[in-house]
C-alpha cells in the first residue's frame, strides 16, 4: 500500500505580501497528514498563497494529465479579500488538494513534495528528474 496524504485548509488569512509590504495577499494554511503502512502518522502545516497554488496546478497539469480534471478555483473574481470570498476559496482549495491526493503520480512529483514540504518531515523515495527540480525551486 502506498503512503497516504490527507490535506485540509483550516485557515485563510489576509496579510501583507513578503515581496511588497504595500500589497495584500491571502495566505492559506495547509494541514498535512502523512501515513505510511506500519509507521506512525506525521503531521505538519504549510502556508501558501493562491498564486503558489496556481503555479503548482499549472506545472502539474502539464506533467500529469489527471490533474487537469481536478477542480481548481477561479482566479480574481470580485472582492478577493472579502470574508465570504476568502472562505469560499479556502473551501475550494481544500477540495482541490483532496482531489490531488487521489492521484499517485501527482503526489510522487518532486514539485508537489516541495510545495507541501514533505521532504522536511518524512523520507520519500525520489524519482524526480531535472525538470521536476527546476520547477520545484519556485516553492523552496
Amino acid at each position: 500500500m502506498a503512503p497516504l496524504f490527507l490535506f485540509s485548509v483550516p485557515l485563510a488569512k489576509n496579510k501583507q505580501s513578503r515581496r511588497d509590504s504595500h500589497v495584500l495577499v491571502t495566505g492559506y494554511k495547509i494541514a498535512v497528514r502523512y501515513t505510511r503502512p506500519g509507521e506512525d502518522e506525521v503531521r505538519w502545516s504549510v502556508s501558501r498563497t493562491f498564486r503558489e497554488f496556481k503555479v503548482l496546478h499549472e506545472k502539474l497539469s502539464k506533467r500529469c494529465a489527471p490533474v487537469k480534471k481536478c477542480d481548481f478555483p477561479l482566479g480574481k473574481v470580485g472582492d478577493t479579500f472579502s470574508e465570504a470570498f476568502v472562505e469560499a476559496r479556502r473551501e475550494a482549495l481544500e477540495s482541490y488538494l483532496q482531489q490531488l491526493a487521489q492521484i499517485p503520480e501527482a503526489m510522487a512529483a518532486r514539485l508537489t513534495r516541495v510545495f507541501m514540504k514533505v521532504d522536511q518531515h518524512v523520507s520519500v523515495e525520489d524519482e524526480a528528474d531535472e525538470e521536476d527540480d527546476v520547477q520545484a525551486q519556485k516553492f523552496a
Side-chain angles (χ1 to χ4, degrees):
M1 184 176 179
L4 175 66
F5 285 92
L6 297 173
F7 301 112
S8 64
V9 183
L11 180 66
K13 183 177 176 183
N14 293 328
K15 61 182 184 177
Q16 290 179 324
S17 169
R18 287 179 275 182
R19 292 187 190 118
D20 183 350
S21 63
H22 296 96
V23 175
L24 194 62
V25 298
T26 303
Y28 298 90
K29 180 180 178 182
I30 307 163
V32 182
R33 291 172 47 193
Y34 176 87
T35 307
R36 187 181 301 175
E39 295 183 18
D40 291 336
E41 179 179 85
V42 180
R43 296 176 182 221
W44 67 93
S45 64
V46 179
S47 293
R48 296 293 183 198
T49 63
F50 179 76
R51 177 176 286 162
E52 290 172 314
F53 271 98
K54 187 175 179 181
V55 169
L56 173 71
H57 178 70
E58 289 171 353
K59 301 296 182 187
L60 279 178
S61 293
K62 290 178 183 174
R63 306 211 46 206
C64 180
V67 173
K68 294 176 186 176
K69 295 179 181 178
C70 292
D71 298 323
F72 189 79
L74 297 174
K76 292 184 179 183
V77 180
D79 181 5
T80 59
F81 299 109
S82 74
E83 191 174 317
F85 182 87
V86 169
E87 177 59 18
R89 183 177 271 176
R90 182 200 64 77
E91 290 174 0
L93 289 170
E94 183 172 85
S95 175
Y96 170 76
L97 288 176
Q98 291 169 353
Q99 293 169 54
L100 201 62
Q102 301 304 311
I103 305 171
E105 181 182 354
M107 296 314 302
R110 181 157 175 72
L111 185 63
T112 306
R113 293 196 336 260
V114 170
F115 183 86
M116 294 296 178
K117 298 185 177 182
V118 172
D119 295 348
Q120 293 179 20
H121 299 278
V122 295
S123 62
V124 179
E125 290 181 25
D126 193 351
E127 298 177 12
D129 58 23
E130 283 186 40
E131 175 69 15
D132 245 359
D133 287 341
V134 170
Q135 298 303 327
Q137 289 176 6
K138 295 185 185 320
F139 305 116

